[in-house]
């Protein structure tokens, strides 16, 4: 950096200090209070609140939800990015906007639309009731709402990445006689694997942590339709603060692991991911 | 509607696009369209009665007002943080940079109870604020504080790459013509990054108006005072008032779509301008 682009040392360090204080106050303190409050009554209480039956049920449902939602959105992400990044067609930008829609919808509205679909007064409600099928207030609704809120998260990482890589390598493989699937498996997939992992990690973090959308469709039935975030809310509202924060610390650790893996991928594959990171929101 | 523009030797276009459109319709478009369908069956009188009621208007004012204030504060400090991260070297910078994304990664319910514990009357920060007579939890201020947490990364992550890519020659030219740092900043740098500041602002604002998890614990949830619009939707649903909930949601959704169109325009404008340089 040339001399003319520098501020004086005093200005520079004042700006850095203000930035760090702001980050400390608004980001670091909330994280610190989760970790310390969860442990405030000792490790014994911490682990006993984690091994309580309803907590374990919530952990199981959260894992199940992510295990279904993430792979489905991964398959969608690959299909969408193959069509959008490798081909040129009319209406592409419109399609991109539609794919991103779930990110601009309030989580509460994301839950509401499934109530309007499957609820007792919903479009499919009478039909479902006739056939004795329950969707709302069951894990199925939780999984559907989670799929909705994490819908574009893999696609939006892959599309810009595949775009920058172009079609030459795939065309070469096809010319040499590889089948379409083999070309994808041996040429495209190795090229996009880090972007893929990046998208999956962000998608997973959101899937496991979603609260608003899931809260609308869950019905909050203990041991049955409570995910970890919903279980935290119940514990908190019952003034079981230590237990609430102990369970919250699990999700905080998940968030930290997500951030670490995400930064490692960015660090190692900086250039490759540069374009995709730019359109992250 | 989706016709290939040019010949392309790669296979799988029909399958990939077909599946994309099918899955998109099933998960997003059909459920989302129900919101408008349900509203259209209400009639204008019933619709306006819900959305112009005292309680709904108060919830909108609160949600939009706090989102606006929080995003304004974040634009100033988010810009400062982006500047520091893009321009300066200091120990631990990489860690700080990674940490900015915490609000993206931390589940909103966790953030919600943490912020409430922090700002309540016996919390780490709250105890000092309450002593000064500032009620930092269960108040409009509490909602704003939560929204500051949620919105920050949207602004930093929008501005940071623009600052990194800023052509050094622009600033050098300004300096060689005798401009000081402050003049260079206000006359050269600021106009270039203004569209990204606006983009970051609207992304954060859009996220904040719909935010629920991090706000609901610290909000207080008093109807007409500290009840945010997303919570009012839930309250209506719990009273089996589906049409009321839908009416409130449709208005919020339309605002989100307007903001989305605005940010898309800004991003298109920025890309065009950078392309021209």
């Amino acid at each position: 950096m040339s001399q003319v682009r520098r501020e004086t040392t005093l200005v520079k360090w004042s700006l850095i200090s203000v930035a760090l204080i702001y980050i400390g106050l608004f980001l670091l303190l909330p994280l610190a209070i989760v970790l310390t409050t969860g442990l405030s009554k000792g490790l014994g209480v911490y682990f006993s609140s984690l091994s309580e039956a309803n907590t374990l049920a919530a952990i199981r449902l959260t894992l199940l939800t992510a295990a279904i939602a993430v792979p489905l959105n991964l398959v969608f992400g690959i299909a969408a990015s193959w069509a959008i990044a490798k081909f040129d067609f009319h209406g592409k930008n419109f399609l991109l906007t539609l794919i991103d829609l779930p990110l601009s919808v309030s989580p509460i509205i994301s839950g509401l639309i499934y109530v309007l679909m499957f609820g007792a007064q919903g479009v499919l409600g009478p039909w479902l009731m006739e056939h004795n099928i329950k969707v709302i207030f069951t894990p199925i609704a939780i999984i559907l709402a989670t799929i909705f809120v994490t819908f574009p998260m893999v696609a939006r990482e892959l599309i810009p990445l595949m775009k920058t890589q172009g079609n030459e390598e795939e065309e070469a493989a096809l010319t040499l006689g590889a089948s379409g699937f083999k070309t994808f498996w041996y040429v495209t997939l190795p090229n996009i694997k880090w972007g893929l992992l990046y998208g999956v990690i962000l998608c997973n973090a959101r899937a496991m942590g979603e609260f608003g959308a899931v809260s609308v469709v869950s019905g909050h039935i203990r041991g049955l339709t409570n995910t970890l975030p919903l279980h935290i809310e119940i514990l908190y509202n019952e003034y079981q603060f230590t237990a609430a924060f102990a369970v919250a610390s699990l999700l905080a650790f998940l968030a930290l692991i997500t951030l670490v893996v995400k930064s490692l991928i960015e660090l190692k594959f900086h250039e490759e991911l540069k374009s995709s990171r730019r359109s992250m929101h | 509607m989706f016709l290939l523009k040019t010949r392309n030797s790669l296979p799988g276009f029909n399958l990939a696009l077909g599946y994309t459109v099918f899955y998109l319709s099933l998960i997003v478009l059909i459920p989302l369209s129900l919101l408008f369908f349900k509203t259209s069956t209400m009639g204008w009188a019933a619709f306006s009665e819900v959305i112009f009621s005292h309680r709904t208007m108060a919830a909108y004012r609160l949600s939009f007002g706090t989102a606006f204030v929080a995003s304004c504060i974040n634009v100033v400090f988010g810009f400062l943080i982006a500047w520091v991260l893009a321009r300066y070297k200091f120990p631990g910078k990489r860690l700080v940079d990674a940490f900015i994304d915490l609000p993206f990664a931390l589940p909103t319910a966790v953030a919600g109870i943490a912020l409430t514990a922090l700002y309540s009357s016996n919390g780490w920060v709250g105890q000092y604020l309450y002593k000064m007579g500032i009620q930092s939890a269960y108040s409009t201020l509490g909602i704003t504080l939560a929204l500051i947490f949620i919105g920050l990364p949207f602004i930093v992550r929008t501005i940071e790459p623009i600052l990194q890519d800023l052509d050094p020659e622009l600033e050098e030219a300004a300096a060689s013509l005798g401009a000081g740092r402050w003049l260079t900043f206000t006359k050269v740098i600021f106009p270039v990054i203004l569209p990204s500041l606006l983009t970051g602002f609207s992304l954060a604002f859009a996220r904040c108006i719909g935010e629920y998890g991090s706000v609901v614990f610290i909000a207080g949830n008093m109807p007409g005072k500290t009840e945010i619009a997303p919570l009012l939707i839930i309250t209506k649903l719990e009273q089996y008032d589906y049409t009321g909930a839908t009416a409130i949601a449709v208005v919020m959704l339309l605002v989100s779509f307007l903001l989305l169109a605005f940010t898309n325009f800004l991003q298109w404008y920025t890309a065009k301008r950078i392309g021209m340089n």
Side-chain angles (χ1 to χ4, degrees):
Chain A
M1 199 183 281
S2 68
Q3 200 60 44
V4 292
R5 290 180 82 204
R6 273 194 208 136
E7 285 74 44
T8 59
T9 317
L10 178 71
V11 172
K12 175 184 156 181
W13 283 102
S14 317
L15 291 177
I16 292 177
S17 312
V18 174
L20 290 182
I21 290 170
Y22 195 78
I23 292 168
L25 206 59
F26 283 100
L27 300 188
L28 195 60
L29 278 185
L31 182 68
I33 205 166
V34 174
L35 302 181
T36 54
T37 314
L39 286 164
S40 63
K41 292 200 176 138
L43 277 174
V45 176
Y46 181 79
F47 285 111
S48 71
S49 19
L50 292 186
S51 52
E52 196 247 337
N54 285 331
T55 308
L56 291 176
I59 292 174
R60 267 196 300 275
L61 183 58
T62 297
L63 292 176
L64 175 75
T65 304
I68 295 172
V70 176
L72 281 175
N73 286 339
L74 171 65
V75 171
F76 164 74
I78 290 172
S81 54
W82 184 265
I84 290 171
K86 300 288 186 190
F87 297 88
D88 215 9
F89 56 90
H90 292 284
K92 194 196 254 187
N93 284 331
F94 183 59
L95 184 62
L96 272 170
T97 309
L98 291 181
I99 288 175
D100 272 349
L101 269 190
L103 293 185
S104 20
V105 175
S106 166
I108 299 307
I109 299 178
S110 312
L112 171 67
I113 57 176
Y114 286 99
V115 175
L116 294 180
M117 178 90 106
F118 299 113
Q121 297 177 44
V123 179
L124 298 178
W127 187 86
L128 289 170
M129 204 118 63
E130 230 170 73
H131 292 79
N132 216 5
I133 306 170
K134 276 203 78 177
V135 175
I136 291 300
F137 305 153
T138 71
I140 301 171
I142 291 177
I143 292 165
L144 279 172
T146 306
I147 293 174
F148 181 93
V149 293
T150 58
F151 181 84
M153 297 190 82
V154 180
R156 58 189 292 113
E157 296 303 330
L158 287 186
I159 292 167
L161 180 61
M162 272 203 198
K163 249 187 206 161
T164 53
Q165 287 173 346
N167 294 0
E168 287 86 4
E169 291 185 41
E170 281 84 359
E171 276 160 6
L174 289 164
T175 315
L176 294 172
S179 69
F181 180 74
K182 268 198 165 162
T183 305
F184 172 76
W185 194 258
Y186 291 108
V187 178
T188 312
L189 205 55
N191 276 339
I192 59 167
K193 61 176 187 278
W194 294 110
L196 201 83
L197 181 64
Y198 193 90
V200 163
I201 281 169
L202 295 182
C203 185
N204 179 64
R206 181 73 197 264
M208 290 191 171
E210 178 54 29
F211 177 68
V214 167
S215 169
V216 174
V217 298
S218 139
H220 309 275
I221 309 161
R222 257 170 234 238
L224 285 178
T225 60
N226 274 333
T227 58
L228 277 176
L230 297 176
H231 188 56
I232 292 171
E233 183 192 25
I234 289 184
L235 291 173
Y236 187 86
N237 287 342
E238 286 175 346
Y239 302 100
Q240 301 189 46
F241 294 129
T242 316
F245 278 102
V247 178
S249 73
L250 281 185
L251 288 173
F253 283 127
L254 173 75
L256 287 179
I257 293 168
T258 304
L259 286 184
V260 169
V261 175
K262 183 175 159 296
S263 314
L264 286 179
I265 298 174
E266 277 167 12
L267 208 66
K268 248 187 133 169
F269 302 91
H270 181 66
E271 284 308 311
E272 198 179 316
L273 287 165
K274 217 172 164 189
S275 54
S276 44
R277 205 185 153 188
R278 217 149 271 192
S279 54
M280 199 172 132
H281 325 293
Chain B
M1 178 170 190
F2 300 113
L3 274 177
L4 265 181
K5 266 189 195 156
T6 46
R7 290 173 68 84
N8 188 323
S9 62
L10 296 189
F13 175 70
N14 287 332
L15 177 68
L17 187 67
Y19 183 70
T20 301
V21 173
F22 167 75
Y23 188 71
L24 176 72
S25 310
L26 198 69
I27 299 289
V28 179
L29 299 183
I30 295 172
L32 213 50
S33 64
L34 285 182
L35 212 56
F36 295 97
F37 172 73
K38 181 91 180 165
T39 313
S40 69
T41 62
M42 295 176 67
W44 173 251
F47 179 73
S48 62
E49 195 187 325
V50 176
I51 63 162
F52 294 119
S53 76
H54 178 73
R55 190 171 174 187
T56 311
M57 288 307 277
Y60 284 146
R61 260 199 307 275
L62 181 67
S63 278
F64 292 118
T66 49
F68 183 80
V69 173
S71 305
C72 285
I73 295 170
N74 269 338
V75 158
V76 176
F77 288 94
F79 170 71
L80 196 148
I81 292 168
W83 177 272
V84 164
L85 290 174
R87 293 294 175 102
Y88 303 143
K89 284 199 176 87
F90 56 92
K93 176 175 150 175
R94 213 163 252 166
L95 212 62
V96 173
D97 193 18
F99 198 64
I100 296 290
D101 284 332
L102 180 77
F104 284 150
L106 194 71
T108 53
V110 178
I113 63 169
L115 291 164
T116 313
L118 207 55
Y119 292 112
S120 63
S121 56
N122 53 2
W124 291 355
V125 179
Q127 53 178 316
Y128 302 108
L129 293 173
Y130 272 79
K131 258 181 216 152
M132 290 187 273
I134 302 167
Q135 198 194 341
S136 52
Y138 317 115
S139 62
T140 312
L141 175 65
I143 299 170
T144 313
L145 288 167
L147 295 180
I148 288 176
F149 173 85
I150 285 298
L152 183 65
F154 287 90
I155 289 163
V156 178
R157 291 302 183 227
T158 312
I159 304 169
E160 202 181 345
I162 305 290
L163 282 176
Q164 277 163 351
D165 285 358
L166 208 63
D167 190 353
E169 279 178 21
L170 280 177
E171 289 167 59
E172 278 158 18
S176 68
L177 293 171
R181 274 314 273 166
W182 181 246
L183 196 63
T184 308
F185 174 76
T186 52
K187 297 281 180 195
V188 178
I189 302 175
F190 189 72
V192 176
I193 57 158
L194 185 63
S196 340
L197 275 175
L198 283 173
T199 306
F201 176 86
S202 18
L203 286 171
F205 183 75
R207 169 69 199 262
C208 286
I209 55 174
E211 179 57 22
Y212 176 72
S214 58
V215 176
V216 74
F217 295 97
I218 202 171
N221 308 333
M222 288 258 295
K225 288 214 174 84
T226 51
E227 183 181 54
I228 51 167
L231 181 71
L232 187 54
I233 296 177
I234 290 208
T235 311
K236 298 263 179 206
L237 272 180
E238 279 168 357
Q239 298 161 348
Y240 299 101
D241 180 7
Y242 283 27
T243 37
T246 308
I248 299 168
V250 156
V251 173
M252 291 185 65
L253 200 63
L254 289 176
V255 173
S256 302
F257 287 174
L258 282 178
L259 283 165
L260 187 69
F262 180 60
T263 49
N264 279 353
F265 168 76
L266 281 171
Q267 267 157 0
W268 168 83
Y269 178 79
T270 315
K272 208 181 89 174
R273 236 172 58 162
I274 288 174
M276 269 162 55
N277 291 339

